[in-house]
């Protein structure tokens, strides 16, 4: 079985316990305005052009048979068929294609190369995205095979999928890293494009009904979900679960912005700046009785 992925990243230490390989699957049903992996949202490959790297040599234009490179060397995305010839021709890596097809065996062959590091660090494989459940059949095949190979398996998910899907993969997952972006549903709809009802329901059921190991992760976006009211709602939700689960706050950063430009996408939060420290928010949640993953 084949699926669409856009990266296999080795030696990750922030996507679960120990040293891990993270496999990034393409496609996401949400549209968070701060997404730092915009190239992952479309289930299809995305072409990127880094204007700041371009030397205007024109080599790419000479090989494009579809007239898909404009005079300023930007892509004409209507005409581009993603053949990749311009990428090979560019000497300064100003062009890139995000996304390719890979089989379960091809991916896990890569993952298994670092098995010794996982074994020595309690690490393993993490499936991320995009949203990995967006390709649920492919994900199910990946996690099943990973378990057959004796791997520790985590999933990093926004949980915007049916509970049936969650239940189908649950027996093969050691830890669910589940995002909670905003607990207030009206705000959630505005900033992510969807209601959070299904997300919070999934977390509650995986915790209360299946007793799964869950780490709740919250990207803290200044001015959007870091107010005392937002943090109080978050604490109330976490404290209402039958089982105790740690929360990890992730500080907002601007690393993804250049990818929006390169992929020809709009980024609405250009004026949002990272805060120097999220220590106050961590302490606020601790004082509300929330167990924190952050130090
Ligand atoms: S990927 Fe192919 S079709 Fe698209 S711009 Fe490059 S050479 Fe042209
Ligand atoms: S080949 Fe690379 S450096 Fe040259 S014009 Fe094309 S994108 Fe720019």
């Amino acid at each position: 079985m084949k699926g669409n992925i856009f990266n296999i990243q080795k030696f990750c230490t922030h996507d679960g316990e120990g040293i891990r390989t993270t496999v990034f699957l393409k496609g996401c049903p949400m549209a968070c305005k701060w997404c730092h992996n915009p190239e992952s949202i479309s289930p299809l490959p995305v072409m990127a052009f880094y204007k700041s790297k371009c030397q205007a040599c024109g080599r790419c234009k000479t090989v494009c048979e579809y007239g898909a490179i404009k005079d300023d060397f930007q892509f004409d995305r209507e005409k581009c068929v993603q053949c990749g010839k311009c990428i090979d021709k560019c000497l300064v890596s100003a062009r890139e294609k995000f996304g390719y097809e890979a089989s379960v065996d091809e991916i896990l062959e890569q993952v298994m190369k670092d098995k010794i590091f996982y074994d020595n660090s309690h690490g393993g494989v993490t499936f991320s995205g995009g949203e990995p459940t967006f390709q649920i059949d492919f994900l199910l095949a990946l996690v099943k095979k990973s378990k057959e190979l004796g791997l520790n398996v985590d999933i990093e998910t926004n949980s915007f999928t049916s509970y049936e899907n969650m239940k189908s993969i649950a027996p093969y997952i050691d830890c669910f890293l589940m995002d909670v972006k905003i607990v207030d549903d009206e705000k959630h709809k505005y900033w992510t494009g969807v209601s959070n009802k299904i997300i919070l329901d999934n977390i509650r059921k995986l915790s209360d009904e299946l007793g799964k190991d869950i780490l709740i992760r919250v990207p803290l976006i200044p001015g959007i979900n870091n107010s005392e009211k937002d943090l109080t709602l978050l604490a109330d939700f976490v404290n209402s679960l039958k089982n105790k689960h740690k929360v990890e706050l992730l500080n907002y950063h601007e690393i993804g912005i250049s990818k929006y430009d390169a992929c020809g996408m709009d980024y609405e939060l250009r004026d949002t700046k990272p805060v120097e420290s999220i220590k106050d928010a961590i302490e606020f949640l601790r004082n509300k009785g929330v167990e924190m993953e952050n130090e």
Side-chain angles (χ1 to χ4, degrees):
M1 179 186 277
K2 289 204 174 206
N4 293 309
I5 67 170
F6 67 99
N7 200 6
I8 298 177
Q9 199 170 325
K10 299 196 162 214
F11 291 98
C12 299
T13 53
H14 298 288
D15 295 330
E17 207 186 333
I19 295 171
R20 313 190 72 82
T21 293
T22 302
V23 180
F24 294 87
L25 278 71
K26 266 193 131 286
C28 181
M30 288 172 60
C32 304
K33 291 183 196 269
W34 55 81
C35 178
H36 62 269
N37 279 336
E39 75 279 22
S40 72
I41 297 169
S42 166
L44 302 172
V46 174
M47 302 298 292
F49 169 59
Y50 300 96
K51 195 172 172 16
S52 59
K53 289 187 186 173
C54 176
Q55 304 295 310
C57 68
R59 286 168 59 90
C60 53
K61 221 166 154 31
T62 63
V63 292
C64 181
E65 295 163 26
Y66 300 89
I69 295 178
K70 299 184 203 170
D71 289 342
D72 62 356
F73 303 111
Q74 295 282 355
F75 284 110
D76 184 332
R77 292 176 189 276
E78 297 284 301
K79 293 182 182 165
C80 176
V81 299
Q82 305 187 331
C83 69
K85 284 186 184 165
C86 57
I87 299 171
D88 298 337
K89 206 70 182 168
C90 180
L91 301 175
V92 294
S93 306
R95 297 188 183 273
E96 190 174 4
K97 181 176 178 176
F98 290 111
Y100 59 95
E101 260 195 4
S103 70
V104 170
D105 289 342
E106 284 164 347
I107 293 169
L108 293 178
E109 191 187 326
Q110 288 299 314
V111 171
M112 288 301 283
K113 284 183 181 165
D114 288 349
K115 179 95 170 27
I116 188 163
F117 298 109
Y118 316 145
D119 291 346
N120 289 332
S121 68
H122 302 290
V125 63
T126 300
F127 295 102
S128 181
E131 168 49 37
T133 60
F134 196 77
Q135 299 180 63
I136 188 65
D137 294 339
F138 182 55
L139 177 65
L140 184 56
L142 279 169
V143 295
K144 268 187 184 168
K145 189 70 193 269
S146 298
K147 269 289 155 220
E148 280 170 31
L149 293 168
L151 289 165
N152 175 284
V153 183
D154 289 355
I155 177 177
E156 195 180 16
T157 174
N158 63 29
S159 313
F160 191 75
T161 189
S162 71
Y163 184 54
E164 289 308 307
N165 283 348
M166 282 296 188
K167 259 204 316 201
S168 71
I169 56 171
Y172 312 101
I173 305 290
D174 291 287
C175 182
F176 282 82
L177 312 177
M178 303 180 89
D179 289 357
V180 173
K181 320 280 189 188
I182 304 171
V183 177
D184 178 300
D185 198 24
E186 284 313 306
K187 274 178 84 172
H188 194 277
K189 281 181 200 159
Y190 178 79
W191 290 107
T192 72
V194 302
S195 165
N196 65 15
K197 195 175 175 318
I198 194 169
I199 294 167
L200 301 182
D201 278 357
N202 275 332
I203 296 174
R204 188 174 299 288
K205 285 178 180 163
L206 284 177
S207 172
D208 295 0
E209 291 179 13
L210 300 186
K212 294 301 295 187
D213 193 4
I214 295 171
L215 172 65
I216 293 171
R217 305 227 287 188
V218 184
L220 209 60
I221 318 298
I224 294 178
N225 66 352
N226 66 341
S227 70
E228 286 198 359
K229 188 178 171 201
D230 288 305
L231 294 174
T232 301
L233 288 172
L234 174 66
D236 290 348
F237 170 71
V238 175
N239 289 334
S240 74
L241 300 171
K242 264 194 206 153
N243 296 301
K244 274 268 179 207
H245 301 288
K246 283 189 181 174
V247 170
E248 181 176 28
L249 297 184
L250 307 168
N251 202 358
Y252 171 75
H253 58 71
E254 296 174 296
I255 293 167
I257 297 181
S258 63
K259 287 191 278 184
Y260 279 85
D261 297 332
C263 297
M265 298 165 73
D266 286 336
Y267 187 65
E268 287 183 38
L269 302 187
R270 279 179 205 273
D271 295 334
T272 302
K273 297 293 164 205
V275 290
E276 221 166 82
S277 167
I278 55 172
K279 282 205 161 62
D280 287 351
I282 294 167
E283 271 321 296
F284 185 89
L285 289 172
R286 256 198 201 112
N287 290 335
K288 295 259 175 208
V290 176
E291 212 176 317
M292 299 300 295
E293 176 77 357
N294 306 77
E295 306 221 320

